[in-house]
Amino acid sequence: TLTAAVVDRVRGNFLLVDLDAVRERALQIPWVHRATVRRVWPDGIHIAFTEQELVARWGAQTWVNAQGEAVDLRGTAGPEGLPRLNGPEGMSARVLEHFEKLSALLAPAGLQIRTLTLTPRHSWVIELNNKLTLTLGREEPEPKIERFVRMYPAVAGAQTRRMRRIDLRYTNGFAVEWEGPAAVSPGAAITTGSIEG
């Protein structure tokens, strides 16, 4: 693929080949992350490149590499099973940084992030692998997740499957939305309670 992309840029006089043009053409390949080009005497062109290391989806059609850069694969299929990150344009590095910190904090509780979203109003929302949603608000999310992980075993227990959403925006605790038959009024499907922690 790389050869086919650059071949028309390396034809002709060896000394007149535009190395910058060759490099730019190589970088147009979605899977190429970095590329360097140099002449190799007497008549060669050497291209060294590194491949994109994709670590997450970014929105609906883009990806995020290990450096936090948004990557457009231009219709090429990417790897399956990666978490999804969402956020305003230009915020992929910040969201990835928090994803890595939050993932490390959640790991001892056996929880994994399925989706991490930074909303347009800069509020954090996490969907976990067990489909539980955590609403974190606008402040730094890590202290709230630390508090949640400390309290999770006491809250979850046998009720894990009934937990739908946990609101961690409170200063000294959090609220749990439950799904199932424990409704507060006819037609309602969720009740809410809080636990201090």
Side-chain angles (χ1 to χ4, degrees), residues 1-170:
T1 301
L2 183 59
T3 301
V6 304
V7 67
D8 65 325
R9 296 290 183 181
V10 297
R11 290 188 176 132
N13 188 317
F14 170 72
L15 295 175
L16 298 179
V17 170
D18 185 342
L19 300 184
D20 288 335
V22 174
R23 179 177 177 275
E24 287 303 315
R25 185 64 65 88
L27 290 173
Q28 290 176 8
I29 300 170
W31 284 100
V32 173
H33 180 225
R34 301 272 189 260
T36 58
V37 181
R38 62 183 175 86
R39 290 182 175 84
V40 179
W41 299 98
D43 59 358
I45 300 293
H46 183 266
I47 303 173
F49 71 96
T50 57
E51 187 177 351
Q52 292 283 6
E53 181 186 350
L54 303 178
V55 295
R57 293 294 305 263
W58 178 251
Q61 301 182 10
T62 316
W63 302 81
V64 178
N65 65 19
Q67 290 72 37
E69 300 164 336
V71 177
D72 184 355
L73 296 182
R74 300 194 263 294
T76 305
E80 297 290 329
L82 294 180
R84 182 181 296 270
L85 308 181
N86 302 298
E89 185 176 350
M91 300 295 286
S92 57
R94 180 179 179 206
V95 176
L96 178 63
E97 178 185 357
H98 283 286
F99 170 80
E100 292 170 345
K101 292 177 181 177
L102 295 169
S103 294
L105 293 172
L106 289 163
L111 299 171
Q112 295 177 329
I113 297 175
R114 184 174 173 183
T115 305
L116 174 62
T117 300
L118 178 61
T119 70
R121 298 182 71 172
H122 292 262
S123 181
W124 295 96
V125 180
I126 296 174
E127 182 184 340
L128 298 173
N129 57 328
N130 61 3
K131 298 185 180 177
L132 179 63
T133 299
L134 308 178
T135 303
L136 305 173
R138 297 179 59 138
E139 291 84 18
E140 291 298 298
E142 287 79 13
K144 295 176 181 181
I145 291 298
E146 288 175 343
R147 187 176 73 227
F148 165 73
V149 169
R150 282 195 310 270
M151 297 299 298
Y152 181 71
V155 176
Q159 300 293 323
T160 303
R161 291 183 180 179
R162 288 189 56 233
M163 293 168 59
R164 178 175 174 176
R165 178 182 298 270
I166 297 182
D167 188 339
L168 295 158
R169 291 175 290 181
Y170 300 95

